[in-house]
Amino acid sequence: KTDEKRITLQKASKTKSDIFDLTIKTNKDRFYVGENFILTITFKHKKDIQIVGLSLNKPNFDNFWYKQIDGTTRYEEKDFEVIELKFLMSALKEGYFSIEPMLLQVQVIDNSFKSFFSSTKDINVYSNELNFDVKNLPKNIKLVGNFEIESTVDKANIKEGEAVSYKIKISGKGNFDDIPDIKLALDDVTIYENKPEINSFISENEYQGSYEKVFSIVANKSFTVPSITIEYFDTEQEKIITKSTKSFDINVEKNSDKKEIFLEKIEDNKILENKEVIIKRISSKDKLIFFF
């Protein structure tokens, strides 16, 4: 039989060292559900340390939406070399949450043994812990940020049976992925719509983008394209902002040429009936050549 071994699990705590330092921080610690914030991971090490490899364990971002910001920042700070990674994040629900200490495994040259072949050793470096207070948005509000909304039509006067193109666009910064699909509440018209085109990107540490959707409306009588309204929560002003598009009156002209066009077609058909029609039969050989 082997001897029994007892394993004690300890909560990770920030590594205290004069050589290494791993710190995580945010630009705020109190925010609303869906509000964007920046989490920065900063690793410092002495310049004279020979680092062979770095391996950051996958962060545990439960209860958060996150996206790594492209690019790694490197700079010097006195006797240290500094590496920074940034994540754009937002909380998915209300409550008190924590991000546990992160682990960075550092592989360095081990100079403790003097030999012809150099050896390496692994050092575990832990960061600090972060705690957050996430508040819920006001009732029935899903968007948070700063948005603009506009709409256009390609023409205000059409003939009966023609189509008018209506385009709506939302732009700004915030949680674009949560914009609900916009529909038009119109009766007695035929509406064709495409899927909304959402383009989002990170710029100046903000989640920015645009939402665009185009409708094609066919009608037999005049109608009004209604105003579209969006509501969002502005964290800077701490209040709900409502913005709307203008409505458009579309005038549909009755097609007075319907009877004349119908008569012209009848006359054309009469002419065709009086013409001699020659039917040329295609042989099997010609069909085969055409097929090839």
Side-chain angles (χ1 to χ4, degrees), residues 73-136:
T73 305
R74 296 175 181 268
Y75 58 92
E76 294 184 359
E77 187 179 273
K78 296 182 180 180
D79 296 333
F80 289 88
E81 290 186 7
V82 185
I83 302 173
E84 282 188 356
L85 290 176
K86 290 186 177 182
F87 290 84
L88 183 68
M89 304 182 65
S90 63
L92 299 176
K93 58 184 179 180
E94 177 189 17
Y96 294 95
F97 304 108
S98 298
I99 294 180
E100 298 177 352
M102 295 185 186
L103 169 61
L104 179 68
Q105 293 177 312
V106 185
Q107 193 175 47
V108 299
I109 299 294
D110 188 2
N111 295 320
S112 58
F113 299 98
K114 293 184 179 181
S115 64
F116 181 77
F117 298 101
S118 61
S119 59
T120 62
K121 64 178 180 180
D122 294 331
I123 301 174
N124 290 338
V125 181
Y126 290 92
S127 74
N128 56 301
E129 181 180 4
L130 289 178
N131 298 295
F132 304 100
D133 178 12
V134 183
K135 295 179 286 185
N136 208 2

Side-chain angles (χ1 to χ4, degrees), residues 197-252:
E197 184 178 342
I198 302 175
N199 295 314
S200 56
F201 54 90
I202 299 174
S203 178
E204 299 178 353
N205 293 336
E206 296 278 1
Y207 197 49
Q208 304 184 28
S210 63
Y211 170 105
E212 291 187 16
K213 190 170 183 179
V214 179
F215 300 83
S216 184
I217 308 169
V218 180
N220 293 323
K221 61 180 181 179
S222 298
F223 64 95
T224 299
V225 181
S227 173
I228 302 296
T229 300
I230 62 168
E231 289 184 324
Y232 64 89
F233 187 78
D234 189 318
T235 56
E236 295 180 2
Q237 302 183 53
E238 293 280 329
K239 66 177 184 179
I240 298 172
I241 305 295
T242 302
K243 290 183 179 178
S244 303
T245 64
K246 63 180 182 178
S247 60
F248 295 95
D249 293 325
I250 307 299
N251 180 45
V252 179

Side-chain angles (χ1 to χ4, degrees), residues 17-20 43-54 79-81 106-111 121 123:
S17 170
D18 296 330
I19 302 174
F20 303 103
F43 173 61
K44 298 180 180 179
H45 66 87
K46 284 281 190 177
K47 293 180 181 179
D48 55 355
I49 298 297
Q50 293 178 287
I51 295 179
V52 180
L54 294 173
D79 296 333
F80 289 88
E81 290 186 7
V106 185
Q107 193 175 47
V108 299
I109 299 294
D110 188 2
N111 295 320
K121 64 178 180 180
I123 301 174

